[in-house]
Amino acid sequence: MASYAPGHAASQTKHHEWRTAENSAAHLLPHLDTLARTKPNLKLLDVGAGSGTISAGLAAHIPHGTVLATDISDDILTRAAAHATSLGITNISFQRASLPNLPFPDGTFDVVHAHQVLTHLSDPAGAVRELVRMCAPGGVVALREVDMHMWCFWPAVDALQKFQGLMADVLVANGGQDEAGRRLVSYALAAGVERKQVEAGFGTWCYSAPEDRKAWGGSMIERLKTSQMRSKGIELGIVTEEGVGEMIKAWEQWIENDEATLGIMNGEVIIKK
Amino acid sequence: MASYAPGHAASQTKHHEWRTAENSAAHLLPHLDTLARTKPNLKLLDVGAGSGTISAGLAAHIPHGTVLATDISDDILTRAAAHATSLGITNISFQRASLPNLPFPDGTFDVVHAHQVLTHLSDPAGAVRELVRMCAPGGVVALREVDMHMWCFWPAVDALQKFQGLMADVLVANGGQDEAGRRLVSYALAAGVERKQVEAGFGTWCYSAPEDRKAWGGSMIERLKTSQMRSKGIELGIVTEEGVGEMIKAWEQWIENDEATLGIMNGEVIIKK
């Protein structure tokens, strides 16, 4: 991809920084432990690392290994590097690179990780082929992608359901995938992987505790006020200014409601090379 | 509840036996470990234990504690007891009992667990109040309930989506809840629990590996052929004989499709007493 359509506005970045290796890459951690037992100095590639909070957590998890975090944006990588430095993490480096063609020879890495990357691509299966190419025999490719239709709201008010629809529609209008979460196995098979190499599961994010509602809901409100999602949605006729106002109000009420809960479902796949 | 509406046909029981403490009560296990460190002989009540495979796993997890598994059906408890015996598990006992009134004094148990129980009740908040009542101070109540609208199918063919709708509609027609998964926090608050006592999350089941597709899809086909869901759905005019036939065919194709995936989202709540 030539650019990251959602952009790196403060709202987007703030939400991304909530992510950790524990809450967003739990499917990979046991495989990392297994690989590190026989090869402590393993090499991990994190593609589309963004704010780099997951990358830093993965680096901390393999203290004798090394992480190379790539992204299409120099700006976000500078921020990611500062984050790692602030945590005293030194076994990580950063390099600008873009799918579908990454500048690394076949089998360079023991682990190739991509989180919320395929969702933004027009050829997700082609991207999986490239990720698998760079993985060494015996290694693993770990994928995790949201399914935009699996947002479980309570209360399930109309304006929040419409917000979910807006996000999905803008994603697709930008050339992305709204069902990547459920399609990870199909992408892997289309990329030439055999079914027996694939372990599939689903993981979730949950926003319900008051501080999580505030962080997530606040980020969604900022997106509605400032991000490309708003302008693109209005440009495409998916939403009106008035509709955006109703969504903002619905999120504000959701943040204040102690009953409120949001679960988001992500597909997770481990490909064993 | 006076009876378990879905029934204990072979299809229902077979699917229930796929469940383990690890794949269906992972949210409780760390709390069990914490409690067992200070009180190894802790007492756990498992309400609506059904086939008892989760109950047996919980008993194995607390070898110095005891599990009391209840259900409304003597037949299923006999089966559950045989399962525990076959595993050599001796720290478990069984007793017939029905919500909303269980015959145990306040604070009898250190842990009260209910899995896919509230979903079948007309007053889930009242049931939570009863579960909390039986939990001792310092203990935990652990709940896990499906959200019937959070089934993530690939391929998302029409007959499978209709099957999902049929299940939800029959559940509601039987007096149950189709959105229990997302409502657990609201039930807890309605039961008089304070928000700060509640930890909320979501867990999933995934059926994608060939053996899991066969087990799950086969169970759904058996249900369509023999269970109360079929007769009730036809009686209510939700589905026709022809529609049932299309659903069976869709499941058969789904089982054979190596791309096929199904993720099911469950709400999970820990209430700290």
Side-chain angles (χ1 to χ4, degrees), chain A residues 8 16 19 45-56 67-72 76-77 80 92-95 113-115 117:
Chain A
H8 289 112
H16 286 179
R19 299 174 183 173
L45 174 67
D46 191 14
V47 175
S51 304
T53 53
I54 301 173
S55 327
V67 169
L68 175 58
T70 67
D71 202 280
I72 53 171
I76 200 73
L77 286 176
I92 188 168
S93 58
F94 300 88
Q95 179 174 336
H113 174 254
H115 181 265
V117 172

Side-chain angles (χ1 to χ4, degrees), chain B residues 11-12 15 151 163 167 214-227 229 247-248 251 254 262 264:
Chain B
S11 56
Q12 188 76 4
H15 149 229
W151 285 40
F163 173 86
M167 281 195 86
K214 195 172 170 188
W216 178 267
S219 167
M220 296 301 111
I221 289 168
E222 275 186 60
R223 270 205 217 190
L224 282 167
K225 287 182 177 170
T226 63
S227 84
M229 186 176 80
M247 290 175 188
I248 291 171
W251 277 115
W254 184 86
L262 170 61
I264 297 180

Side-chain angles (χ1 to χ4, degrees), chain B residues 188-242:
Chain B
L189 298 186
V193 172
E194 290 182 40
R195 183 63 189 81
K196 65 184 178 189
Q197 294 177 262
V198 183
E199 288 178 11
F202 287 86
T204 64
W205 287 314
C206 177
Y207 307 92
S208 176
E211 63 275 19
D212 290 332
R213 293 201 310 268
K214 195 172 170 188
W216 178 267
S219 167
M220 296 301 111
I221 289 168
E222 275 186 60
R223 270 205 217 190
L224 282 167
K225 287 182 177 170
T226 63
S227 84
Q228 190 258 6
M229 186 176 80
R230 174 205 183 93
S231 51
K232 186 89 178 181
I234 291 173
E235 176 197 324
L236 292 171
I238 300 168
V239 70
T240 62
E241 289 283 359
E242 191 186 355

Side-chain angles (χ1 to χ4, degrees), chain B residues 124-154:
Chain B
V128 173
R129 190 184 300 273
E130 177 71 352
L131 300 177
V132 170
R133 180 189 69 73
M134 295 180 291
C135 182
V140 300
V141 176
L143 309 173
R144 190 174 197 258
E145 299 291 332
V146 72
D147 197 290
M148 287 304 302
H149 301 286
M150 289 289 135
W151 285 40
C152 187
F153 283 107
W154 182 260

Side-chain angles (χ1 to χ4, degrees), chain A residues 147 149-154 156 161 179 182-183 185-186 189 195 200-206 208-210 213 258-259 261-265, chain B residues 147 149-154 156 161 179 182-183 185-186 189 195 200-206 208-210 213 258-259 261-265:
Chain A
D147 196 290
H149 301 287
M150 289 290 133
W151 286 39
C152 187
F153 282 107
W154 182 258
Q161 304 283 5
E179 293 187 327
R182 72 185 74 190
R183 296 202 57 181
V185 175
S186 74
L189 299 187
R195 183 63 188 80
F202 287 86
T204 64
W205 287 315
C206 176
S208 175
R213 294 200 310 268
D258 256 354
E259 286 188 9
T261 305
L262 170 60
I264 297 179
M265 204 164 179
Chain B
D147 197 290
H149 301 286
M150 289 289 135
W151 285 40
C152 187
F153 283 107
W154 182 260
Q161 304 283 4
E179 292 187 327
R182 73 185 73 190
R183 296 203 57 181
V185 176
S186 73
L189 298 186
R195 183 63 189 81
F202 287 86
T204 64
W205 287 314
C206 177
S208 176
R213 293 201 310 268
D258 256 354
E259 286 188 8
T261 304
L262 170 61
I264 297 180
M265 202 166 181

Side-chain angles (χ1 to χ4, degrees), chain A residues 175-199:
Chain A
Q177 312 297 324
D178 57 340
E179 293 187 327
R182 72 185 74 190
R183 296 202 57 181
L184 292 179
V185 175
S186 74
Y187 297 157
L189 299 187
V193 172
E194 290 182 41
R195 183 63 188 80
K196 65 184 178 189
Q197 294 176 262
V198 182
E199 287 178 13

Side-chain angles (χ1 to χ4, degrees), chain A residues 156-225:
Chain A
V157 299
D158 190 51
L160 294 179
Q161 304 283 5
K162 283 183 179 160
F163 173 86
Q164 179 185 5
L166 170 64
M167 281 194 85
D169 289 348
V170 169
L171 186 67
V172 171
N174 283 330
Q177 312 297 324
D178 57 340
E179 293 187 327
R182 72 185 74 190
R183 296 202 57 181
L184 292 179
V185 175
S186 74
Y187 297 157
L189 299 187
V193 172
E194 290 182 41
R195 183 63 188 80
K196 65 184 178 189
Q197 294 176 262
V198 182
E199 287 178 13
F202 287 86
T204 64
W205 287 315
C206 176
Y207 307 92
S208 175
E211 63 275 18
D212 290 332
R213 294 200 310 268
K214 195 173 171 186
W216 177 267
S219 167
M220 295 301 110
I221 290 169
E222 275 187 59
R223 270 205 218 189
L224 281 167
K225 287 182 176 170

